Amino acid sequence: MIHVVLYEPEIPANTGNIIRTCMASGSRLHLIEPLGFSLDEKHLRRSGMDYIKDADIHIYKNWEEFQQKNPEGDFYFMSRYGKKAPSQFDYTKAKGDIYLVLGKESTGIDKAILKDHLDRCMRLPMIENARSLNLSNCAAICVYEVLRQLDYPGLARHEVLKGENFLEDLQLD
């Protein structure tokens, strides 16, 4: 299973978008407090739409509680200090669940946490004068890189709601 871990997220719209990504990809979302918003905030509900009720979300008081409750798995950390792109890791060799840890929008993941996992820090390549990308975009890129490498297990490969052949069957006037 893929797990997205948000370390002290601050912006409700980003978390709402990530809730959507997690729900649509079958990933579990972990939120590590403090949160910079209330989970019932309208911006979170708007960006998460009706996906919130179907999302698998777990909340922790701090990093230590998260680690105690999730001691096993392969952890990867998104950081501006990472030296590898997400595509440079081979997720097919994971020994268990895959955890993608992303930090708060203002300062990222605590440096003490990153220091213990330098070999698992990743960064999205970008032009030199760009500091970072939007947190929800980073989460989506990472989740779908893992899914790509695993060949999208359990995900629909065609339009389900309107039908696989919707465009072929469409009658235009």
Side-chain angles (χ1 to χ4, degrees):
M1 172 176 257
I2 298 171
H3 301 257
V4 175
V5 182
L6 299 185
Y7 177 82
E8 301 179 1
E10 299 168 318
I11 300 175
N14 284 337
T15 300
N17 287 336
I18 294 168
I19 288 170
R20 240 176 133 161
T21 297
C22 287
M23 187 277 180
S25 64
S27 302
R28 181 173 292 157
L29 178 61
H30 303 268
L31 301 175
I32 299 175
E33 295 179 330
L35 307 180
F37 50 86
S38 165
L39 287 174
D40 61 357
E41 194 163 324
K42 74 176 178 177
H43 296 296
L44 180 71
R45 287 193 317 268
R46 186 178 319 135
S47 56
M49 295 178 64
D50 56 349
Y51 296 100
I52 292 174
K53 68 181 178 350
D54 296 322
D56 185 1
I57 303 172
H58 300 259
I59 302 169
Y60 306 89
K61 292 185 190 291
N62 52 44
W63 178 253
E64 291 73 25
E65 180 187 5
F66 167 76
Q67 284 186 301
Q68 288 171 354
K69 293 185 177 177
N70 300 277
E72 308 267 330
D74 287 9
F75 289 77
Y76 301 89
F77 299 82
M78 176 58 65
S79 170
R80 66 189 293 185
Y81 306 111
K83 295 182 180 176
K84 292 182 178 180
S87 59
Q88 290 180 275
F89 293 94
D90 186 352
Y91 305 105
T92 64
K93 294 182 179 177
K95 294 178 179 71
D97 288 354
I98 296 170
Y99 290 82
L100 302 170
V101 184
L102 296 97
K104 60 177 135 184
E105 291 87 345
S106 63
T107 59
I109 302 166
D110 186 293
K111 308 312 176 270
I113 295 169
L114 292 177
K115 194 154 177 62
D116 291 336
H117 304 282
L118 293 176
D119 61 325
R120 294 291 181 100
C121 287
M122 57 186 164
R123 171 188 171 85
L124 290 171
M126 59 190 87
I127 64 172
E128 288 182 14
N129 62 347
R131 183 176 49 85
S132 64
L133 292 172
N134 176 279
L135 184 68
S136 63
N137 291 340
C138 291
I141 290 167
C142 290
V143 166
Y144 274 85
E145 174 58 25
V146 173
L147 289 169
R148 182 192 69 78
Q149 288 187 27
L150 300 176
D151 199 27
Y152 307 99
L155 300 184
R157 293 176 180 263
H158 63 272
E159 168 57 40
V160 176
L161 297 177
K162 292 187 177 187
E164 182 174 0
N165 298 316
F166 175 75
L167 285 179
E168 291 90 345
D169 299 339
L170 187 63
Q171 299 292 319
L172 299 175
D173 295 334

